């Protein structure tokens, strides 16, 4: 540290020296020191440069040779779910039907009779040794005095008889539009609900208060910070969820930057849709560096590991099953075109290749109204998109927000439903980068559907190996730097923040993570084991191991 007499006119708040800084800035890809002032990188370069900006009050951090990367950006993450401990039954670690039912029973015993029992996100088909959903009868025995609702990964849920009674569901209840009530051979509801049938239950549930949501977001973001995550794109928020994030932002309580996507009800007339989205008084890109309204989210199909991804070809075990369409092609197109007219950017969940066809047709219709180039419309997931579809997306200026993590512990389930060849082309990251360019391909986890740990995701993108060590589609592997860029700079591009974050460059927001190992040179098998020792957001340490 220099003396006060020799201090420069402008001094840094903090300098980091003696590090291996992976900047991802093409003009200066590596550095050893950085200086931070007022939440931004003041200087990036050698230790000498950083030290010239120190004054008597500057904090100097010796990194001891540790690797530094730009703050990680999970571009598809339901982060509030990481803050729901105590609010829901934790089912993430159960491995059998018996364990799941015991978890429900224990949680219900801690609640008053009649109080709702809700579960965390989980995946019974891939997670349980029995590879099946829980039945209504089983849940009745586990929680005889409480209504039970156990969502899985957003497309399937289980409920008991008490919940069905409150929702008015009985043997004669018809399937809702774009949804299915699971039934046994006698036609009686089994307790399993698919797609929009979930609304029958959730519409009669009390929901979280804004205060409860604030707690969940604060706790969830703190958990994300442990993994070096400094930004998240939250893809599924109601008005109350957006209000909770806004309140946290105004109170200065966010520890990661948030892009948020709104979910207005799509199963309405186009006049009602137009009235809702225009009546909000805002549109996409409203916000600042801490919270930004990125767009509207729509969902077209289910998932690969749920046997509901909408496919061009029939599923191998059933010549008449092509998956599930949650919106018709025609209605989707009308929704997208109308949103484009009101300056809303769209991100559309589409997993199967037929679902991708639906979305691209809708995007092209909107493009005929007004060019989509520069609007950054997104295929969300696009897990089974084909090269020719990605070429159509490129012509529109659309991007792909994907999650290699789906293959980590679900590849075997996907393979069972769709076959080895289809599983091997799932999450086509190499093809997507080659066709769309790295800026238009960002990575996320879809937590809690998949593990939040970004280094598992990075490992899978580089190796294409699942949790068992089985390789699927080696030709879709990418380089370490490409994977890291997709987790940082490309995520910033998704929210129109590429000029202010995503790389360690002078003038950009001082978001960074200090790692336990050198991501670029550590043995490839150890990438998944890397830990974060410090996370910095806007120059402020939000996590330190």
């Amino acid at each position: 540290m220099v003396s006060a007499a020799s201090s420069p006119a402008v001094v840094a708040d903090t300098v980091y020296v003696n590090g291996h800084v992976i900047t991802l800035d093409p003009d200066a890809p590596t550095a050893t020191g950085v200086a931070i002032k007022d939440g931004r990188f003041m200087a990036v370069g050698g230790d000498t440069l950083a030290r010239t900006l120190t004054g008597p009050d500057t904090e100097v951090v010796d990194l001891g040779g540790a690797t530094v990367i730009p703050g990680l950006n999970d571009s598809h993450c339901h982060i509030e779910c990481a803050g729901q401990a105590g609010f829901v039954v934790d089912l993430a670690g159960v491995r059998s039907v018996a364990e799941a039912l015991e978890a429900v029973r224990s949680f219900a015993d801690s609640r008053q009779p009649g109080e709702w029992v809700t579960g965390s996100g989980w995946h019974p088909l891939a997670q349980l040794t029995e590879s099946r959903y829980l039945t209504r009868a089983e849940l009745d025995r586990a929680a005889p005095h409480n209504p039970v609702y156990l969502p899985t990964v957003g497309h399937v849920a289980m409920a008991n008889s008490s919940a069905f009674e409150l929702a008015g569901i009985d043997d004669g209840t018809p399937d809702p539009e774009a949804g299915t009530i699971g039934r046994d051979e006698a036609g009686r509801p089994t307790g399993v609900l698919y797609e929009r049938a979930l609304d029958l239950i959730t519409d009669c549930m009390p929901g979280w208060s804004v205060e409860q949501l604030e707690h969940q977001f604060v706790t969830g973001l703190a958990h994300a910070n442990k993994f070096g995550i400094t930004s998240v794109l939250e893809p599924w928020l109601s008005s109350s969820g957006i209000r909770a994030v806004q309140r946290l932002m105004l109170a200065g309580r966010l520890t990661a930057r948030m892009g948020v996507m709104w979910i207005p009800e799509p199963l309405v007339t186009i006049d009602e849709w137009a009235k809702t989205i225009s009546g909000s008084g805002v549109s996409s890109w409203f916000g600042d560096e801490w919270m930004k309204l990125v767009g509207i989210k729509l969902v077209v199909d289910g998932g690969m590991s749920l046997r509901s991804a909408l496919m061009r070809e029939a599923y191998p075990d059933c010549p008449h099953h092509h998956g599930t369409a949650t919106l018709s092609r025609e209605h989707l197109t009308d929704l997208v075109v109308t949103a484009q007219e009101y300056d809303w950017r769209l991100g559309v969940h589409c997993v199967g290749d037929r679902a991708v066809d639906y979305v691209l047709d809708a995007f092209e219709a909107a493009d005929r109204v007004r060019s989509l180039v520069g609007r950054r419309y997104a295929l969300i997931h696009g897990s089974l998109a084909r090269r020719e579809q990605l070429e159509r997306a490129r012509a529109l200026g659309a991007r792909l927000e994907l999650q290699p993590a789906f293959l980590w512990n679900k590849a075997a389930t996907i393979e069972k439903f769709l076959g080895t060849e289809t599983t091997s082309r799932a999450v086509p990251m190499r093809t997507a980068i080659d066709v769309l360019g790295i800026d238009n391909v960002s990575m996320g986890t879809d937590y809690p559907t998949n593990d939040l740990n970004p280094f598992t995701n990075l490992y899978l993108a580089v190796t294409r190996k699942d949790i068992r060590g089985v390789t699927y589609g080696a030709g879709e592997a990418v380089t370490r730097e490409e994977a890291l860029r997709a987790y940082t700079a490309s995520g910033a591009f998704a929210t129109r923040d590429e000029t202010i974050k995503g790389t360690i460059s002078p003038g950009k927001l001082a978001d960074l993570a200090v790692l336990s190992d050198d991501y670029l040179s550590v043995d490839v098998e150890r990438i998944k084991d890397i830990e974060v020792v410090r996370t910095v957001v806007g120059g402020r340490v939000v996590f330190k191991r």
Side-chain angles (χ1 to χ4, degrees):
M1 210 175 275
V2 296
S3 67
S6 60
S7 295
V10 179
V11 300
D13 298 322
T14 309
V15 299
Y16 289 85
V17 296
N18 190 24
H20 171 48
V21 183
I22 304 170
T23 69
L24 295 183
D25 183 337
D27 293 331
T30 61
T32 60
V34 300
I36 297 171
K37 176 72 173 178
D38 296 331
R40 293 180 180 261
F41 293 114
M42 182 182 182
V44 179
D47 290 354
T48 301
L49 173 64
R51 289 187 181 277
T52 61
L53 299 171
T54 60
D57 298 321
T58 301
E59 178 187 15
V60 179
V61 180
D62 189 327
L63 293 165
T67 295
V68 177
I69 61 172
L72 295 166
N73 187 337
D74 190 316
S75 66
H76 190 97
C77 175
H78 307 272
I79 195 58
E80 74 280 12
C81 295
Q84 291 180 345
F87 291 87
V88 299
V89 186
D90 183 2
L91 296 166
V94 301
R95 293 292 177 263
S96 69
V97 168
E99 287 183 16
L101 292 172
E102 179 55 35
V104 172
R105 182 179 297 106
S106 177
F107 190 89
D109 287 346
S110 70
R111 294 302 191 259
Q112 295 295 318
E115 188 176 348
W116 278 89
V117 171
T118 305
S120 65
W122 64 314
H123 199 305
L125 298 187
Q127 191 172 321
L128 303 182
T129 55
E130 296 88 348
S131 188
R132 69 170 177 84
Y133 298 114
L134 308 182
T135 68
R136 179 167 59 132
E138 289 171 330
L139 293 174
D140 288 346
R141 291 191 293 271
H145 307 297
N146 301 80
V148 176
Y149 176 72
L150 305 180
T152 58
V153 292
H155 302 269
V156 183
M158 293 143 281
N160 68 352
S161 295
S162 178
F164 272 42
E165 289 169 9
L166 290 170
I169 303 173
D170 57 26
D171 294 0
T173 302
D175 289 341
E177 181 182 356
T180 303
I181 300 170
R183 302 177 193 274
D184 61 21
E185 293 181 355
R188 300 190 69 237
T190 61
V192 185
L193 303 165
Y194 302 88
E195 300 298 346
R196 295 310 296 260
L198 278 63
D199 298 348
L200 300 175
I201 301 289
T202 57
D203 285 350
C204 71
M205 294 175 66
W208 306 120
S209 68
V210 172
E211 291 74 18
Q212 288 173 322
L213 286 168
E214 286 185 75
H215 171 86
Q216 292 171 13
F217 278 116
V218 167
T219 307
L221 289 174
H223 182 62
N225 295 152
K226 296 177 183 178
F227 295 107
I229 295 171
T230 60
S231 294
V232 297
L233 179 50
E234 171 68 62
W236 184 261
L237 286 187
S238 63
S239 298
S240 59
I242 294 173
R243 187 175 305 116
V245 175
Q246 182 184 23
R247 284 169 52 158
L248 293 173
M249 180 270 291
L250 292 172
R253 296 177 64 197
L254 294 177
T255 58
R257 308 179 194 283
M258 295 190 65
V260 300
M261 297 191 73
W262 181 33
I263 50 164
E265 173 56 55
L267 294 180
V268 295
T269 67
I270 294 304
D271 286 344
E272 291 172 317
W273 172 257
K275 183 177 180 180
T276 297
I277 64 174
S278 63
S280 67
V282 294
S283 61
S284 296
W285 315 120
F286 181 80
D288 63 11
E289 65 195 40
W290 280 105
M291 176 190 176
K292 183 177 290 187
L293 187 56
V294 175
I296 287 174
K297 165 84 173 288
L298 293 172
V299 177
V300 173
D301 67 343
M304 298 181 290
S305 60
L306 300 171
R307 202 170 171 270
S308 53
L310 188 62
M311 303 295 294
R312 290 175 176 177
E313 299 178 1
Y315 280 68
D317 65 341
C318 182
H320 305 294
H321 181 64
H322 289 263
T324 303
T326 57
L327 292 172
S328 71
R329 189 187 298 244
E330 296 74 21
H331 190 58
L332 171 67
T333 297
D334 289 342
L335 294 171
V336 172
V337 169
T338 304
Q340 166 74 329
E341 291 171 348
Y342 288 100
D343 291 326
W344 280 98
R345 176 254 196 193
L346 271 291
V348 187
H349 167 120
C350 51
V351 175
D353 48 13
R354 179 177 287 189
V356 176
D357 285 335
Y358 280 24
V359 174
L360 290 172
D361 287 349
F363 284 5
E364 287 172 349
D367 185 67
R368 288 192 288 273
V369 173
R370 181 156 49 95
S371 174
L372 293 190
V373 174
R375 299 283 292 155
R376 304 189 189 183
Y377 273 46
L379 304 173
I380 295 177
H381 305 310
S383 305
L384 293 168
R386 298 177 181 272
R387 177 178 283 271
E388 45 93 358
Q389 293 176 314
L390 294 172
E391 290 170 349
R392 289 176 66 190
R394 179 183 61 194
L396 294 164
R399 60 193 327 279
L400 180 64
E401 295 166 5
L402 47 66
Q403 304 80 35
F406 274 107
L407 296 177
W408 180 241
N409 58 3
K410 298 177 181 65
T413 303
I414 299 167
E415 187 174 24
K416 179 174 70 174
F417 292 150
L418 288 165
T420 304
E421 182 179 349
T422 300
T423 306
S424 294
R425 70 176 181 85
V427 195
M429 194 166 178
R430 172 76 274 149
T431 302
I433 290 174
D434 289 346
V435 174
L436 298 175
I438 188 67
D439 285 343
N440 284 313
V441 182
S442 57
M443 283 176 66
T445 56
D446 198 9
Y447 177 85
T449 303
N450 302 303
D451 187 10
L452 187 61
N453 187 346
F455 296 98
T456 303
N457 217 1
L458 289 163
Y459 169 80
L460 217 157
V462 170
T463 67
R464 298 287 295 192
K465 289 183 182 179
D466 76 351
I467 194 170
R468 303 163 300 164
V470 178
T471 301
Y472 290 89
E476 289 296 344
V478 299
T479 69
R480 297 190 197 203
E481 183 174 336
E482 286 171 330
L484 184 59
R485 188 172 291 278
Y487 232 122
T488 53
S490 299
F493 195 85
T495 54
R496 278 188 172 176
D497 289 321
E498 67 272 18
T499 62
I500 63 170
K501 69 180 184 181
T503 65
I504 297 177
S505 308
K508 287 193 174 182
L509 296 167
D511 300 348
L512 61 84
V514 183
L515 308 184
S516 62
D517 292 281
D518 183 354
Y519 166 75
L520 290 181
S521 65
V522 70
D523 183 272
V524 70
E525 292 299 323
R526 289 178 54 199
I527 291 176
K528 61 183 182 299
D529 303 317
I530 291 174
E531 294 184 329
V532 169
V533 298
R534 182 186 293 235
T535 304
V536 176
V537 180
R540 179 167 67 95
V541 177
V542 294
F543 170 74
K544 186 176 180 181
R545 191 174 299 280

